[in-house]
């Protein structure tokens, strides 16, 4: 069979177009990264003795609490949390899409084979004519390789690669959220358990006072009213316990769900009371510019911009001709006995130019969509940065004020305890009314609960600060 090759005209057109594109290439502007709207960031946060200007640690901030149970729970959550597993699946999907785009760098090879038997009548009378049968067969291996001169394939591969990196940053963001949520649920559990312990301690104290009042009533020193009032305070405290116990079970269930386990699977382990960590911790917050490097959501937004910019470059490249190397090799014959003989061989190889000169508004609108998408991602990036800085500043303020609240509430507890001791001493001596004792008991329980709540709240504020700083995502998964 005759050898098929490309005409000299095709070669000349290809060379002219290639030179044309290389001349215009610096002016095309495709693939350029979008310009960031860079706000002027301050060089430091508001000065406070609780915060250091070092670069914050992005790994295992919960170790500062020195609580092995919390460390164990977070380690389990990293292994079993379903939201984290879904984020890992999204990484795999993004990686697969990246591989699909990168496959455009390689030639596409295909195999074609066909067998077409034919029957043809011979003679003028079809009814009486003889039949001639043919069996035409062909088998060929074809190759098509796009030479990515303009950058269409390269930019699309770059876009999907940046989306893959963004999915990794989003995974890290889920990790930050997960570690903070586990720590927050754990602190909530210990706070309620501490309040339960306070209620039981006050219950014992109130029972002792009730015993004293009943003894004084039996001797005729006080009226039945004192006994009824002391009993009311005792039973009102006793009524608080079932609600606190229910809150403890609810907190344990929340932790179990975060760990990807059955709600009741951790009860035997977590029902054992452990005191709250010390909330007065010095925190390394770095400088405002560090937040851009530290927070995964900022990193994900930045990589999304790079992806959108590459997509815009790809759409601009679609305006220009595409160049291919096309080749094929195979055999074709109606004689199967000598099918692979030299006479039946056919092949071709040569450059191919394809240029969509008119596609309606498709290319124009695709470029417009890509440009708008890039602008949106830049706007989103700037919003993420502003939100991140606001979250850190708010968390720092809340945490510093929570430390002040702890100190004031502790003083109120000490004074209310002194008030109870003095009023009870005066009452037993018959020098004061029992109402003073009742008020002192109520205030002591209230201030002790507030003190525990302020400790738990301060730890929650500290967790929020670590979360706002973007820490906790470089966790080793066993």
């Amino acid at each position: 069979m005759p050898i098929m090759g490309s005409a000299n005209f095709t070669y000349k057109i290809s060379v002219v177009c290639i030179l044309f594109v290389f001349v215009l290439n610096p002016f095309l502007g495709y693939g350029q990264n979008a310009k960031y709207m860079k706000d002027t960031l301050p060089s430091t946060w508001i000065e406070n003795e609780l915060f250091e200007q070092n670069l914050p640690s992005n790994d295992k901030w919960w170790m500062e609490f020195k609580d092995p149970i919390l460390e164990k729970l977070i380690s389990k959550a990293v292994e079993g949390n379903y939201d984290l597993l879904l984020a890992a699946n999204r990484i795999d999907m993004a990686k697969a899409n990246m591989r699909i785009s990168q496959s455009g760098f390689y030639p596409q090879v295909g195999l074609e084979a066909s067998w077409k038997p034919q029957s043809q009548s011979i003679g003028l009378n079809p009814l009486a004519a003889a039949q001639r049968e043919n069996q035409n067969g062909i088998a060929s291996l074809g190759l098509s390789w796009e030479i990515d001169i303009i950058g269409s394939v390269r930019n699309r591969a770059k876009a999907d690669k940046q989306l893959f990196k963004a999915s990794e940053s989003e995974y890290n963001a889920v990790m930050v959220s997960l570690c903070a949520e586990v720590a927050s649920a754990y602190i909530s559990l210990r706070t309620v358990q501490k309040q339960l312990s306070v209620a039981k301690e006050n219950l014992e104290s109130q029972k002792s006072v009730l015993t004293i009042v009943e003894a004084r009533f039996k001797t005729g020193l006080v009226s039945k009213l004192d006994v009824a009032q002391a009993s009311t305070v005792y039973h009102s405290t006793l009524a608080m316990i079932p609600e606190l116990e229910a809150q403890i079970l609810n907190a344990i269930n929340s932790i179990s769900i975060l760990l990807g386990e059955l709600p009741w699977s951790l009860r035997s382990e977590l029902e054992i009371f452990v005191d709250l960590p010390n909330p007065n911790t010095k925190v390394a917050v770095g400088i405002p510019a560090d937040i851009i490097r530290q927070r995964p959501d900022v990193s994900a937004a930045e990589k999304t911009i790079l992806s959108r910019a590459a997509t815009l470059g790809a759409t601009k490249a679609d305006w220009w001709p595409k160049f291919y190397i096309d080749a094929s090799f195979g055999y074709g014959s109606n004689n199967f006995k000598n099918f692979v003989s030299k006479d039946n061989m056919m092949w071709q190889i040569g450059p191919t130019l394809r240029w969509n000169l008119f596609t309606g508004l498709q290319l124009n609108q695709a470029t417009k969509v890509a440009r708008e998408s890039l602008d949106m991602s830049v706007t989103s990036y700037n919003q993420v940065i502003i939100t991140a800085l606001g979250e850190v500043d708010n968390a720092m303020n809340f945490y510093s004020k929570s430390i002040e609240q702890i100190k004031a509430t502790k003083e109120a507890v000490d004074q209310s305890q002194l008030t109870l001791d003095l009023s009870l001493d005066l009452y037993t001596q018959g020098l004061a009314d029992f109402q003073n004792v009742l008020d002192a008991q109520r205030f002591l329980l209230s201030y002790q609960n507030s003190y525990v709540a302020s400790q738990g709240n301060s730890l929650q504020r500290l967790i929020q600060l670590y979360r706002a700083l973007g820490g906790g995502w470089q966790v080793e998964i066993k």
Side-chain angles (χ1 to χ4, degrees):
M1 297 185 65
I3 298 176
M4 294 178 289
S6 300
N8 291 332
F9 178 75
T10 305
Y11 285 105
K12 293 178 181 179
I13 290 295
S14 301
V15 171
V16 170
C17 289
I18 290 172
L19 293 175
F20 176 73
V21 170
F22 271 114
V23 170
L24 289 184
N25 193 46
F27 305 101
L28 293 179
Y30 71 88
Q32 295 178 351
N33 293 338
K35 295 181 179 180
Y36 297 88
M37 183 181 64
K38 295 183 178 180
D39 296 328
T40 303
L41 298 178
S43 59
T44 182
W45 304 101
I46 298 175
E47 292 186 5
N48 190 303
E49 62 181 7
L50 288 173
F51 308 114
E52 299 176 346
Q53 299 301 320
N54 315 346
L55 182 65
S57 171
N58 56 9
D59 189 21
K60 298 186 178 181
W61 48 262
W62 50 90
M63 300 287 286
E64 298 292 332
F65 292 151
K66 296 179 174 60
D67 191 323
I69 297 178
L70 175 59
E71 296 169 15
K72 180 181 177 182
L73 291 174
I74 290 180
S75 178
K76 284 185 176 180
V78 169
E79 296 176 1
N81 181 265
Y82 289 107
D83 287 335
L84 201 59
L85 294 175
L86 288 173
N89 291 337
R90 286 192 287 270
I91 290 179
D92 293 337
M93 291 176 60
K95 186 175 183 179
N97 284 327
M98 179 185 69
R99 297 301 186 206
I100 292 173
S101 297
Q102 290 176 342
S103 65
F105 290 119
Y106 305 100
Q108 306 296 312
V109 180
L111 176 65
E112 179 183 357
S114 65
W115 174 59
K116 299 178 180 179
Q118 299 181 15
S119 178
Q120 184 179 2
S121 299
I122 302 175
L124 297 177
N125 186 357
L127 297 177
Q131 298 291 319
R132 183 174 65 187
E133 294 183 356
N134 292 320
Q135 295 185 355
N136 295 321
I138 185 172
S140 64
L141 193 66
L143 178 146
S144 180
W145 192 356
E146 181 177 356
I147 309 301
D148 191 36
I149 298 174
I150 309 298
S152 175
V153 175
R154 182 172 64 254
N155 278 284
R156 284 188 169 84
K158 181 180 178 181
D160 285 333
K161 183 177 181 180
Q162 293 300 328
L163 287 180
F164 167 63
K165 292 182 177 180
S167 69
E168 291 181 320
S169 296
E170 289 167 357
Y171 176 88
N172 294 333
V174 175
M175 181 77 76
V176 170
S177 178
L178 174 62
C179 295
E181 287 178 8
V182 172
S184 178
Y186 181 77
I187 294 302
S188 296
L189 169 65
R190 297 311 184 196
T191 301
V192 179
Q193 286 179 328
K194 182 67 174 178
Q195 289 177 330
L196 178 61
S197 176
V198 166
K200 290 181 176 179
E201 290 174 2
N202 277 267
L203 198 63
E204 291 298 321
S205 173
Q206 292 165 7
K207 185 176 182 181
S208 299
V209 172
L210 178 59
T211 301
I212 293 173
V213 174
E214 287 176 340
R216 290 173 62 81
F217 169 71
K218 290 178 180 178
T219 58
L221 295 176
V222 297
S223 67
K224 184 68 173 178
L225 177 61
D226 289 0
V227 177
Q229 289 176 326
S231 179
T232 300
V233 172
Y234 173 79
H235 284 93
S236 64
T237 303
L238 185 64
M240 295 171 57
I241 292 178
E243 174 64 21
L244 292 173
E245 291 175 339
Q247 291 180 21
I248 289 172
L249 295 178
N250 181 73
I252 294 175
N253 289 347
S254 298
I255 294 173
S256 300
I257 292 171
L258 287 172
L259 269 60
E261 299 186 6
L262 295 174
W264 50 83
S265 60
L266 298 175
R267 286 183 184 175
S268 60
E269 178 181 357
L270 295 181
E271 281 180 336
I272 301 173
F273 172 67
V274 176
D275 205 356
L276 286 166
N278 178 22
N280 195 356
T281 302
K282 203 165 189 177
V283 184
V285 296
I287 60 176
D290 291 334
I291 301 302
I292 298 176
R293 297 186 292 269
Q294 179 85 359
R295 285 187 46 138
D297 57 343
V298 176
S299 175
E302 184 176 12
K303 290 176 175 60
T304 301
I305 288 179
L306 297 177
S307 174
R308 298 293 182 263
T311 300
L312 176 59
T315 61
K316 288 184 176 181
D318 290 339
W319 286 78
W320 303 98
K322 297 182 183 295
F323 302 93
Y324 299 84
I325 296 295
D326 290 331
S328 65
F329 174 82
Y331 295 90
S333 175
N334 57 10
N335 185 0
F336 281 91
K337 293 182 180 181
N338 300 313
F339 185 74
V340 294
S341 66
K342 183 179 180 180
D343 293 337
N344 296 331
M345 181 189 300
M346 58 181 182
W347 65 272
Q348 65 175 354
I349 183 171
T352 301
L353 181 147
R354 297 172 190 160
W355 196 347
N356 291 324
L357 298 177
F358 180 76
T359 58
L361 297 176
Q362 181 179 351
L363 295 178
N364 182 47
Q365 294 305 312
T367 301
K368 183 177 180 180
V369 169
R371 184 177 290 110
E372 293 298 329
S373 179
L374 175 59
D375 292 342
M376 289 172 61
S377 63
V378 172
T379 302
S380 177
Y381 173 78
N382 292 325
Q383 183 61 47
V384 169
I385 290 180
I386 293 173
T387 301
L389 295 175
E391 287 178 355
V392 173
D393 192 59
N394 289 338
M396 291 170 63
N397 293 332
F398 276 120
Y399 177 60
S400 61
K401 296 302 179 183
S402 69
I403 298 298
E404 297 178 12
Q405 184 183 28
I406 289 176
K407 295 177 181 178
T409 311
K410 180 64 168 61
E411 184 63 26
V413 170
D414 294 340
Q415 294 302 317
S416 63
Q417 182 65 61
L418 179 60
T419 301
L420 176 59
D421 294 340
L422 293 175
S423 61
L424 184 60
D425 184 56
L426 292 173
Y427 173 73
T428 55
Q429 296 179 38
L431 300 177
D433 188 80
F434 186 63
Q435 186 63 44
N436 293 332
V437 178
L438 292 174
D439 292 340
Q441 286 180 316
R442 294 190 183 99
F443 285 133
L444 178 60
L445 178 58
S446 175
Y447 286 133
Q448 284 181 332
N449 274 330
S450 296
Y451 178 59
V452 174
S454 65
Q455 288 179 301
N457 178 65
S458 182
L459 290 169
Q460 297 285 9
R461 298 302 187 185
L462 181 57
I463 292 169
Q464 290 177 8
L465 176 55
Y466 281 124
R467 182 176 186 171
L469 291 170
W473 52 269
Q474 291 186 353
V475 182
E476 294 181 3
I477 302 178
K478 299 180 180 179

